[in-house]
Amino acid sequence: MPELSPRRRLLVLAICCMSLLIVSLDVTVLNVALPSMQSDLHASTSGLQWTIDAYTLVLASLLMLAGSTADRIGRKKVFMAGLVVFSAGSLLCSLAPSLELLIAARMVQAVGGSMLNPVAMSIITNTFTAPRERARAIGVWGAVVGISMAAGPLLGGLLVESVGWRSIFWLNLPVGLVALLATLRFVPESRAPKARRPDPVGQLLVIALFGSLTYAIIEAPEAGVATSGPFAAVAFAALLGLLWYEPRRDQPLIDLRFFRSIPFSGATVVAISAFAALGGFLFLSTLYLQNVRGLDALHAGLWMLPMAVPTFLCAPLSGRLVGSRGPRLPLLIAGLAMTTSGVLFAAFDAETSDATLFLGYALFGVGFGFVNAPITNTAVSGMPRSQAGVAAAVASTSRQLGQTLGVAVIGAVLAAGVNASSYRDTFVSAAVPGWWILTGCGLVVLVLGAVTTGSWARRTAERTAERLEAPDVREAAGVSA
């Protein structure tokens, strides 16, 4: 990628953030619309789970393929294709006449979405090469998530109440068009020096692992172990297949050597835990505010602001802290805040009082605001720039897998505990195990934030980067000879 002027770099960052905005808005806006969709499409709790997880599942399954493909054929090309497919999928979602077709359209959206965020992060990584500048750019990237969380519930509530839930998908069309035209004009093409070959077997194993595991979790409360058990077995077999097959390839879909880096492995687990907490938190909160408290979509969106505003404010602060002091402090703050929020709901029924509900939402927003920048920065900063697309894709995959599992697990726990005939009476008690799970997710962030960010962990990252660069160096030496 050619050296760009400061103004051009900021413009590239803005264009990449536009793609993140439409993908993130899609998640927060959709959560506010769930009760309306449930009523209009006659969906069960598991049906609502699939409207979210069909998207995040396909996204998680294809992110690494998109990242390696972008490194191979060109990041700008893949990014533009993603904008076109995502916008087309959004249009299909707005026209879907049934739950099944809506879920199918969400999967089309996800195919496009898989080409956006990891590729955009790779573009940012190759545009902002100085560590401090890159950390600040990633902080801005994280702030966009906060903007989507602040604007999404309100915007979604207004649209659902005034026009209907289908209108939430219209938001993506003008933003996608502007981002597409701007990318065509201002974003330079870039690719990895060494192209990576496709890995169809690894891709199929990833799809089998994520799909079977999610299906087993979501359908277990209604279908039982006899039906979900075989899917769990398929997921386990696919995992074993990945662990056996991928190290034997010269250019695997998932380079397992990445995980020899303790910071990278820690960032992966932190991403899964934090976004599992986010997915479960939004799912429980939306259903509680509208189906139990009886709020309309707009007022439910207003109640999400105590979570969204701290996320928006803390994300850029987290980016600056990562740039100046490293990832440990932001991760410790994030873990402590998310754990405390979970305990308030699990042990003290924070939903039942406006004051504790406000406090629980605000604490979760602080925690989530601080967690995103250190995840992304740790995932890409220790890797060779030639591997930026794949490394960013692994981090993004971890986020989407976490959100998928969060909605699947928390929804399954809720469905198992709620009595449909007395939904309002049983919801709070049925949600308690889910809140304890979210507390555990926060605790994982806290512990790994302390353990995986020390000098010993950094040395493992340096050794991993040397191993990853060594084959390319040897090949270059052979060519020059």
Side-chain angles (χ1 to χ4, degrees):
M1 179 182 284
E3 186 67 27
L4 304 179
S5 67
R7 181 176 176 274
R8 183 78 173 270
R9 288 200 296 271
L10 291 176
L11 193 56
V12 170
L13 176 61
I15 294 167
C16 291
C17 285
M18 289 175 72
S19 74
L20 176 64
L21 181 64
I22 58 176
V23 173
S24 300
L25 268 177
D26 205 62
V27 174
T28 53
V29 171
L30 181 67
N31 270 275
V32 173
L34 285 178
S36 296
M37 294 165 61
Q38 183 178 31
S39 174
D40 191 24
L41 300 177
H42 310 291
S44 62
T45 299
S46 64
L48 294 181
Q49 288 172 270
W50 279 117
T51 61
I52 298 173
D53 275 357
Y55 177 84
T56 55
L57 178 61
V58 172
L59 202 62
S61 299
L62 298 181
L63 282 170
M64 285 177 286
L65 174 63
S68 60
T69 301
D71 283 346
R72 183 172 64 253
I73 70 172
R75 296 171 181 125
K76 179 177 179 178
K77 292 186 184 72
V78 173
F79 186 69
M80 292 177 65
L83 288 168
V84 171
V85 175
F86 186 85
S87 299
S90 300
L91 180 61
L92 291 174
C93 287
S94 70
L95 301 174
S98 66
L99 179 67
E100 292 76 16
L101 290 177
L102 174 62
I103 291 172
R106 290 280 289 163
M107 295 172 75
V108 174
Q109 259 192 318
V111 173
S114 70
M115 305 180 210
L116 295 180
N117 287 359
V119 179
M121 180 51 62
S122 182
I123 291 172
I124 290 172
T125 303
N126 283 271
T127 300
F128 296 88
T129 54
R132 187 181 296 269
E133 190 180 40
R134 180 176 56 212
R136 289 176 177 170
I138 291 173
V140 174
W141 174 268
V144 173
V145 177
I147 292 172
S148 72
M149 296 188 81
L154 279 177
L155 197 55
L158 281 169
L159 289 172
V160 170
E161 287 300 308
S162 60
V163 184
W165 64 264
R166 296 180 186 278
S167 61
I168 64 175
F169 297 105
W170 300 343
L171 293 172
N172 301 327
L173 303 180
V175 178
L177 179 60
V178 171
L180 179 65
L181 296 176
T183 302
L184 184 65
R185 174 68 178 84
F186 297 109
V187 176
E189 183 61 279
S190 66
R191 55 177 58 87
K194 181 182 177 181
R196 296 171 60 85
R197 292 192 300 270
D199 181 9
V201 174
Q203 184 61 59
L204 289 174
L205 287 171
V206 167
I207 293 172
L209 171 60
F210 292 172
S212 299
L213 179 61
T214 304
Y215 184 91
I217 294 171
I218 290 179
E219 298 299 330
E222 294 184 6
V225 177
T227 300
S228 61
F231 287 92
V234 169
F236 183 68
L239 175 61
L240 294 179
L242 281 170
L243 295 177
W244 178 84
Y245 177 78
E246 291 298 280
R248 288 165 170 77
R249 281 185 56 87
D250 292 334
Q251 295 178 1
L253 178 70
I254 308 173
D255 195 333
L256 299 181
R257 293 178 299 170
F258 283 9
F259 295 96
R260 295 176 184 173
S261 165
I262 297 302
F264 183 86
S265 297
T268 300
V269 178
V270 166
I272 292 173
S273 300
F275 277 77
L278 175 67
F281 191 97
L282 291 175
F283 192 79
L284 286 177
S285 297
T286 299
L287 293 180
Y288 171 76
L289 291 172
Q290 296 191 54
N291 289 353
V292 179
R293 285 207 169 193
L295 300 179
D296 58 34
L298 176 58
H299 286 87
L302 287 170
W303 257 110
M304 300 300 288
L305 283 179
M307 180 189 71
V309 172
T311 298
F312 169 64
L313 295 176
C314 293
L317 175 59
S318 177
R320 287 194 291 271
L321 283 175
V322 171
S324 61
R325 301 185 59 177
R328 172 172 285 187
L329 182 58
L331 287 175
L332 293 179
I333 295 172
L336 182 61
M338 294 172 74
T339 302
T340 306
S341 173
V343 169
L344 276 177
F345 287 98
F348 300 102
D349 292 339
E351 308 101 312
T352 57
S353 164
D354 285 352
T356 52
L357 183 65
F358 184 96
L359 179 60
Y361 281 6
L363 283 170
F364 189 89
V366 169
F368 191 74
F370 272 97
V371 82
N372 215 22
I375 289 172
T376 304
N377 190 72
T378 304
V380 300
S381 62
M383 298 296 162
R385 286 177 61 190
S386 62
Q387 303 277 2
V390 179
V394 172
S396 295
T397 298
S398 302
R399 290 182 174 90
Q400 299 304 326
L401 177 61
Q403 194 158 345
T404 301
L405 293 177
V407 173
V409 172
I410 300 303
V413 168
L414 181 67
V418 167
N419 183 345
S421 61
S422 55
Y423 189 90
R424 294 192 178 190
D425 296 333
T426 59
F427 185 95
V428 173
S429 60
V432 167
W435 289 116
W436 279 120
I437 292 171
L438 301 189
T439 302
C441 291
L443 197 57
V444 168
V445 174
L446 178 63
V447 172
L448 290 183
V451 171
T452 65
T453 54
S455 57
W456 163 74
R458 286 194 295 273
R459 286 195 295 272
T460 68
E462 292 167 0
R463 289 196 297 269
T464 299
E466 290 172 359
R467 291 191 187 101
L468 291 169
E469 288 177 320
D472 293 339
V473 172
R474 286 196 298 269
E475 183 174 325
V479 171
S480 62

PDB file of all heavy atoms in Angstrom, residues 1 4 17 35 44 60 76 80 132 141 151 171 244 257 286-287 317 342 346 371 376 386 396 411-412 454 466 471-472:
ATOM      1  N   MET A   1       0.852  -1.200   0.000  1.00  0.00           N
ATOM      2  CA  MET A   1       0.000   0.000   0.000  1.00  0.00           C
ATOM      3  C   MET A   1       0.880   1.239   0.000  1.00  0.00           C
ATOM      4  O   MET A   1       1.810   1.335   0.804  1.00  0.00           O
ATOM      5  CB  MET A   1      -0.920  -0.002   1.238  1.00  0.00           C
ATOM      6  CG  MET A   1      -1.822   1.227   1.334  1.00  0.00           C
ATOM      7  SD  MET A   1      -2.849   1.229   2.814  1.00  0.00           S
ATOM      8  CE  MET A   1      -4.082   0.019   2.367  1.00  0.00           C
ATOM      9  N   LEU A   4       0.232   7.237   2.466  1.00  0.00           N
ATOM     10  CA  LEU A   4      -0.847   8.199   2.279  1.00  0.00           C
ATOM     11  C   LEU A   4      -0.621   9.415   3.151  1.00  0.00           C
ATOM     12  O   LEU A   4       0.022   9.346   4.201  1.00  0.00           O
ATOM     13  CB  LEU A   4      -2.196   7.548   2.629  1.00  0.00           C
ATOM     14  CG  LEU A   4      -2.562   6.262   1.881  1.00  0.00           C
ATOM     15  CD1 LEU A   4      -3.910   5.752   2.363  1.00  0.00           C
ATOM     16  CD2 LEU A   4      -2.590   6.490   0.380  1.00  0.00           C
ATOM     17  N   CYS A  17     -14.855   2.794   9.034  1.00  0.00           N
ATOM     18  CA  CYS A  17     -15.778   2.893  10.169  1.00  0.00           C
ATOM     19  C   CYS A  17     -17.233   2.885   9.706  1.00  0.00           C
ATOM     20  O   CYS A  17     -18.121   2.460  10.463  1.00  0.00           O
ATOM     21  CB  CYS A  17     -15.488   4.163  10.973  1.00  0.00           C
ATOM     22  SG  CYS A  17     -13.988   4.040  11.983  1.00  0.00           S
ATOM     23  N   PRO A  35     -39.235  -8.153  19.869  1.00  0.00           N
ATOM     24  CA  PRO A  35     -40.623  -8.429  20.266  1.00  0.00           C
ATOM     25  C   PRO A  35     -41.633  -8.161  19.152  1.00  0.00           C
ATOM     26  O   PRO A  35     -42.599  -8.917  19.000  1.00  0.00           O
ATOM     27  CB  PRO A  35     -40.838  -7.501  21.466  1.00  0.00           C
ATOM     28  CG  PRO A  35     -39.469  -7.309  22.039  1.00  0.00           C
ATOM     29  CD  PRO A  35     -38.574  -7.252  20.836  1.00  0.00           C
ATOM     30  N   SER A  44     -41.117 -18.259  18.041  1.00  0.00           N
ATOM     31  CA  SER A  44     -40.821 -18.737  19.394  1.00  0.00           C
ATOM     32  C   SER A  44     -39.518 -18.103  19.867  1.00  0.00           C
ATOM     33  O   SER A  44     -38.849 -17.371  19.133  1.00  0.00           O
ATOM     34  CB  SER A  44     -40.678 -20.255  19.381  1.00  0.00           C
ATOM     35  OG  SER A  44     -39.590 -20.638  18.551  1.00  0.00           O
ATOM     36  N   ALA A  60     -19.242 -15.672  11.510  1.00  0.00           N
ATOM     37  CA  ALA A  60     -18.100 -16.310  12.169  1.00  0.00           C
ATOM     38  C   ALA A  60     -17.468 -17.377  11.285  1.00  0.00           C
ATOM     39  O   ALA A  60     -16.248 -17.546  11.269  1.00  0.00           O
ATOM     40  CB  ALA A  60     -18.541 -16.921  13.496  1.00  0.00           C
ATOM     41  N   LYS A  76      -9.346  -4.085  -1.182  1.00  0.00           N
ATOM     42  CA  LYS A  76     -10.353  -3.151  -1.696  1.00  0.00           C
ATOM     43  C   LYS A  76     -11.438  -3.905  -2.468  1.00  0.00           C
ATOM     44  O   LYS A  76     -12.632  -3.626  -2.292  1.00  0.00           O
ATOM     45  CB  LYS A  76      -9.684  -2.105  -2.583  1.00  0.00           C
ATOM     46  CG  LYS A  76     -10.640  -1.094  -3.193  1.00  0.00           C
ATOM     47  CD  LYS A  76      -9.883  -0.063  -4.002  1.00  0.00           C
ATOM     48  CE  LYS A  76     -10.822   0.949  -4.648  1.00  0.00           C
ATOM     49  NZ  LYS A  76     -10.081   1.993  -5.401  1.00  0.00           N
ATOM     50  N   MET A  80     -15.388  -3.954  -1.241  1.00  0.00           N
ATOM     51  CA  MET A  80     -16.476  -3.433  -2.071  1.00  0.00           C
ATOM     52  C   MET A  80     -17.523  -4.517  -2.345  1.00  0.00           C
ATOM     53  O   MET A  80     -18.732  -4.243  -2.318  1.00  0.00           O
ATOM     54  CB  MET A  80     -15.921  -2.874  -3.379  1.00  0.00           C
ATOM     55  CG  MET A  80     -15.085  -1.609  -3.193  1.00  0.00           C
ATOM     56  SD  MET A  80     -14.357  -0.994  -4.735  1.00  0.00           S
ATOM     57  CE  MET A  80     -15.835  -0.564  -5.643  1.00  0.00           C
ATOM     58  N   ARG A 132       1.519   3.649  17.979  1.00  0.00           N
ATOM     59  CA  ARG A 132       0.677   4.587  18.726  1.00  0.00           C
ATOM     60  C   ARG A 132      -0.471   5.106  17.851  1.00  0.00           C
ATOM     61  O   ARG A 132      -1.623   5.186  18.293  1.00  0.00           O
ATOM     62  CB  ARG A 132       1.516   5.755  19.245  1.00  0.00           C
ATOM     63  CG  ARG A 132       0.751   6.704  20.179  1.00  0.00           C
ATOM     64  CD  ARG A 132       1.664   7.837  20.628  1.00  0.00           C
ATOM     65  NE  ARG A 132       2.775   7.334  21.426  1.00  0.00           N
ATOM     66  CZ  ARG A 132       2.734   7.221  22.754  1.00  0.00           C
ATOM     67  NH1 ARG A 132       1.647   7.577  23.416  1.00  0.00           N
ATOM     68  NH2 ARG A 132       3.777   6.778  23.413  1.00  0.00           N
ATOM     69  N   TRP A 141     -12.203   3.231  15.962  1.00  0.00           N
ATOM     70  CA  TRP A 141     -12.969   2.070  15.491  1.00  0.00           C
ATOM     71  C   TRP A 141     -13.888   1.557  16.605  1.00  0.00           C
ATOM     72  O   TRP A 141     -15.074   1.286  16.389  1.00  0.00           O
ATOM     73  CB  TRP A 141     -11.970   1.013  15.046  1.00  0.00           C
ATOM     74  CG  TRP A 141     -12.486  -0.319  14.646  1.00  0.00           C
ATOM     75  CD1 TRP A 141     -12.641  -1.413  15.451  1.00  0.00           C
ATOM     76  CD2 TRP A 141     -12.883  -0.737  13.343  1.00  0.00           C
ATOM     77  NE1 TRP A 141     -13.108  -2.478  14.732  1.00  0.00           N
ATOM     78  CE2 TRP A 141     -13.262  -2.092  13.440  1.00  0.00           C
ATOM     79  CE3 TRP A 141     -12.953  -0.100  12.117  1.00  0.00           C
ATOM     80  CZ2 TRP A 141     -13.703  -2.818  12.348  1.00  0.00           C
ATOM     81  CZ3 TRP A 141     -13.382  -0.829  11.022  1.00  0.00           C
ATOM     82  CH2 TRP A 141     -13.756  -2.170  11.141  1.00  0.00           C
ATOM     83  N   ALA A 151     -26.949   4.964  19.302  1.00  0.00           N
ATOM     84  CA  ALA A 151     -27.947   5.371  18.316  1.00  0.00           C
ATOM     85  C   ALA A 151     -28.892   4.236  17.954  1.00  0.00           C
ATOM     86  O   ALA A 151     -30.072   4.478  17.659  1.00  0.00           O
ATOM     87  CB  ALA A 151     -27.251   5.890  17.058  1.00  0.00           C
ATOM     88  N   LEU A 171     -31.921   1.232   6.818  1.00  0.00           N
ATOM     89  CA  LEU A 171     -30.818   2.093   7.233  1.00  0.00           C
ATOM     90  C   LEU A 171     -29.520   1.747   6.511  1.00  0.00           C
ATOM     91  O   LEU A 171     -28.687   2.613   6.248  1.00  0.00           O
ATOM     92  CB  LEU A 171     -30.591   1.966   8.751  1.00  0.00           C
ATOM     93  CG  LEU A 171     -31.680   2.481   9.688  1.00  0.00           C
ATOM     94  CD1 LEU A 171     -31.342   2.089  11.114  1.00  0.00           C
ATOM     95  CD2 LEU A 171     -31.806   3.992   9.571  1.00  0.00           C
ATOM     96  N   TRP A 244      -6.277 -31.763  13.848  1.00  0.00           N
ATOM     97  CA  TRP A 244      -5.422 -32.732  13.163  1.00  0.00           C
ATOM     98  C   TRP A 244      -5.001 -32.249  11.777  1.00  0.00           C
ATOM     99  O   TRP A 244      -3.844 -32.381  11.380  1.00  0.00           O
ATOM    100  CB  TRP A 244      -6.165 -34.070  13.031  1.00  0.00           C
ATOM    101  CG  TRP A 244      -5.369 -35.108  12.282  1.00  0.00           C
ATOM    102  CD1 TRP A 244      -4.412 -35.933  12.783  1.00  0.00           C
ATOM    103  CD2 TRP A 244      -5.471 -35.401  10.872  1.00  0.00           C
ATOM    104  NE1 TRP A 244      -3.900 -36.724  11.792  1.00  0.00           N
ATOM    105  CE2 TRP A 244      -4.522 -36.421  10.603  1.00  0.00           C
ATOM    106  CE3 TRP A 244      -6.248 -34.904   9.830  1.00  0.00           C
ATOM    107  CZ2 TRP A 244      -4.347 -36.953   9.329  1.00  0.00           C
ATOM    108  CZ3 TRP A 244      -6.071 -35.430   8.561  1.00  0.00           C
ATOM    109  CH2 TRP A 244      -5.139 -36.449   8.319  1.00  0.00           C
ATOM    110  N   ARG A 257      -0.293 -21.812  14.732  1.00  0.00           N
ATOM    111  CA  ARG A 257       0.897 -21.221  15.354  1.00  0.00           C
ATOM    112  C   ARG A 257       0.592 -19.858  15.977  1.00  0.00           C
ATOM    113  O   ARG A 257       1.300 -19.429  16.897  1.00  0.00           O
ATOM    114  CB  ARG A 257       2.012 -21.084  14.320  1.00  0.00           C
ATOM    115  CG  ARG A 257       2.578 -22.408  13.820  1.00  0.00           C
ATOM    116  CD  ARG A 257       3.635 -22.171  12.765  1.00  0.00           C
ATOM    117  NE  ARG A 257       3.083 -21.473  11.601  1.00  0.00           N
ATOM    118  CZ  ARG A 257       3.833 -20.967  10.626  1.00  0.00           C
ATOM    119  NH1 ARG A 257       5.151 -21.066  10.672  1.00  0.00           N
ATOM    120  NH2 ARG A 257       3.255 -20.359   9.594  1.00  0.00           N
ATOM    121  N   THR A 286     -33.604  -6.853  26.196  1.00  0.00           N
ATOM    122  CA  THR A 286     -34.673  -6.504  25.264  1.00  0.00           C
ATOM    123  C   THR A 286     -35.976  -7.214  25.615  1.00  0.00           C
ATOM    124  O   THR A 286     -37.050  -6.595  25.662  1.00  0.00           O
ATOM    125  CB  THR A 286     -34.262  -6.860  23.821  1.00  0.00           C
ATOM    126  OG1 THR A 286     -33.105  -6.107  23.475  1.00  0.00           O
ATOM    127  CG2 THR A 286     -35.382  -6.546  22.846  1.00  0.00           C
ATOM    128  N   LEU A 287     -35.893  -8.512  25.861  1.00  0.00           N
ATOM    129  CA  LEU A 287     -37.102  -9.271  26.196  1.00  0.00           C
ATOM    130  C   LEU A 287     -37.676  -8.819  27.539  1.00  0.00           C
ATOM    131  O   LEU A 287     -38.904  -8.735  27.699  1.00  0.00           O
ATOM    132  CB  LEU A 287     -36.785 -10.771  26.232  1.00  0.00           C
ATOM    133  CG  LEU A 287     -36.414 -11.401  24.881  1.00  0.00           C
ATOM    134  CD1 LEU A 287     -36.119 -12.884  25.046  1.00  0.00           C
ATOM    135  CD2 LEU A 287     -37.525 -11.199  23.852  1.00  0.00           C
ATOM    136  N   LEU A 317     -11.166   6.338  24.974  1.00  0.00           N
ATOM    137  CA  LEU A 317     -10.263   6.392  26.126  1.00  0.00           C
ATOM    138  C   LEU A 317      -9.461   5.099  26.225  1.00  0.00           C
ATOM    139  O   LEU A 317      -8.257   5.109  26.499  1.00  0.00           O
ATOM    140  CB  LEU A 317     -11.072   6.628  27.402  1.00  0.00           C
ATOM    141  CG  LEU A 317     -10.296   6.589  28.724  1.00  0.00           C
ATOM    142  CD1 LEU A 317      -9.194   7.644  28.726  1.00  0.00           C
ATOM    143  CD2 LEU A 317     -11.246   6.795  29.907  1.00  0.00           C
ATOM    144  N   GLY A 342     -22.806  -8.165  36.193  1.00  0.00           N
ATOM    145  CA  GLY A 342     -23.447  -9.469  36.220  1.00  0.00           C
ATOM    146  C   GLY A 342     -23.903  -9.863  37.607  1.00  0.00           C
ATOM    147  O   GLY A 342     -25.006 -10.411  37.786  1.00  0.00           O
ATOM    148  N   ALA A 346     -27.540 -11.063  38.868  1.00  0.00           N
ATOM    149  CA  ALA A 346     -27.653 -12.463  39.283  1.00  0.00           C
ATOM    150  C   ALA A 346     -27.993 -12.602  40.751  1.00  0.00           C
ATOM    151  O   ALA A 346     -28.819 -13.446  41.138  1.00  0.00           O
ATOM    152  CB  ALA A 346     -26.347 -13.201  38.978  1.00  0.00           C
ATOM    153  N   VAL A 371     -13.214  -2.912  26.534  1.00  0.00           N
ATOM    154  CA  VAL A 371     -12.690  -4.219  26.138  1.00  0.00           C
ATOM    155  C   VAL A 371     -12.325  -4.322  24.665  1.00  0.00           C
ATOM    156  O   VAL A 371     -11.457  -5.129  24.283  1.00  0.00           O
ATOM    157  CB  VAL A 371     -13.696  -5.340  26.507  1.00  0.00           C
ATOM    158  CG1 VAL A 371     -14.791  -5.479  25.455  1.00  0.00           C
ATOM    159  CG2 VAL A 371     -12.988  -6.663  26.711  1.00  0.00           C
ATOM    160  N   THR A 376      -8.542  -5.954  19.741  1.00  0.00           N
ATOM    161  CA  THR A 376      -8.114  -5.759  18.356  1.00  0.00           C
ATOM    162  C   THR A 376      -6.632  -5.457  18.272  1.00  0.00           C
ATOM    163  O   THR A 376      -5.912  -6.038  17.449  1.00  0.00           O
ATOM    164  CB  THR A 376      -8.920  -4.616  17.717  1.00  0.00           C
ATOM    165  OG1 THR A 376     -10.308  -4.900  17.835  1.00  0.00           O
ATOM    166  CG2 THR A 376      -8.571  -4.458  16.258  1.00  0.00           C
ATOM    167  N   SER A 386       2.102  -8.963   6.825  1.00  0.00           N
ATOM    168  CA  SER A 386       1.607  -9.822   5.755  1.00  0.00           C
ATOM    169  C   SER A 386       0.491 -10.741   6.220  1.00  0.00           C
ATOM    170  O   SER A 386      -0.278 -11.254   5.417  1.00  0.00           O
ATOM    171  CB  SER A 386       2.754 -10.664   5.185  1.00  0.00           C
ATOM    172  OG  SER A 386       3.286 -11.520   6.183  1.00  0.00           O
ATOM    173  N   SER A 396     -12.020 -11.105  14.730  1.00  0.00           N
ATOM    174  CA  SER A 396     -13.420 -10.853  14.399  1.00  0.00           C
ATOM    175  C   SER A 396     -14.252 -12.129  14.521  1.00  0.00           C
ATOM    176  O   SER A 396     -15.399 -12.089  14.970  1.00  0.00           O
ATOM    177  CB  SER A 396     -13.539 -10.292  12.976  1.00  0.00           C
ATOM    178  OG  SER A 396     -12.927  -9.028  12.884  1.00  0.00           O
ATOM    179  N   GLY A 411     -30.259 -17.830  25.648  1.00  0.00           N
ATOM    180  CA  GLY A 411     -31.617 -18.108  25.177  1.00  0.00           C
ATOM    181  C   GLY A 411     -32.077 -19.495  25.570  1.00  0.00           C
ATOM    182  O   GLY A 411     -33.244 -19.693  25.951  1.00  0.00           O
ATOM    183  N   ALA A 412     -31.169 -20.487  25.504  1.00  0.00           N
ATOM    184  CA  ALA A 412     -31.529 -21.850  25.891  1.00  0.00           C
ATOM    185  C   ALA A 412     -31.820 -21.941  27.384  1.00  0.00           C
ATOM    186  O   ALA A 412     -32.780 -22.597  27.808  1.00  0.00           O
ATOM    187  CB  ALA A 412     -30.410 -22.814  25.508  1.00  0.00           C
ATOM    188  N   GLY A 454       1.553  -9.630  30.576  1.00  0.00           N
ATOM    189  CA  GLY A 454       2.834  -9.365  31.223  1.00  0.00           C
ATOM    190  C   GLY A 454       4.006  -9.550  30.282  1.00  0.00           C
ATOM    191  O   GLY A 454       3.864  -9.854  29.089  1.00  0.00           O
ATOM    192  N   GLU A 466       8.421 -14.170  15.036  1.00  0.00           N
ATOM    193  CA  GLU A 466       9.650 -14.600  14.364  1.00  0.00           C
ATOM    194  C   GLU A 466       9.427 -15.905  13.592  1.00  0.00           C
ATOM    195  O   GLU A 466       9.908 -16.065  12.470  1.00  0.00           O
ATOM    196  CB  GLU A 466      10.764 -14.786  15.394  1.00  0.00           C
ATOM    197  CG  GLU A 466      11.256 -13.476  15.999  1.00  0.00           C
ATOM    198  CD  GLU A 466      12.218 -13.700  17.148  1.00  0.00           C
ATOM    199  OE1 GLU A 466      12.476 -14.887  17.469  1.00  0.00           O
ATOM    200  OE2 GLU A 466      12.687 -12.712  17.734  1.00  0.00           O
ATOM    201  N   PRO A 471       9.590 -18.431   7.415  1.00  0.00           N
ATOM    202  CA  PRO A 471       9.436 -19.050   6.092  1.00  0.00           C
ATOM    203  C   PRO A 471       9.487 -18.044   4.957  1.00  0.00           C
ATOM    204  O   PRO A 471      10.081 -18.310   3.908  1.00  0.00           O
ATOM    205  CB  PRO A 471       8.057 -19.734   6.179  1.00  0.00           C
ATOM    206  CG  PRO A 471       7.853 -19.959   7.641  1.00  0.00           C
ATOM    207  CD  PRO A 471       8.478 -18.777   8.304  1.00  0.00           C
ATOM    208  N   ASP A 472       8.865 -16.853   5.159  1.00  0.00           N
ATOM    209  CA  ASP A 472       8.888 -15.828   4.118  1.00  0.00           C
ATOM    210  C   ASP A 472      10.312 -15.314   3.885  1.00  0.00           C
ATOM    211  O   ASP A 472      10.718 -15.061   2.747  1.00  0.00           O
ATOM    212  CB  ASP A 472       7.974 -14.656   4.506  1.00  0.00           C
ATOM    213  CG  ASP A 472       6.512 -15.068   4.514  1.00  0.00           C
ATOM    214  OD1 ASP A 472       6.194 -16.067   3.856  1.00  0.00           O
ATOM    215  OD2 ASP A 472       5.717 -14.385   5.180  1.00  0.00           O
TER     216      ASP A 472
END
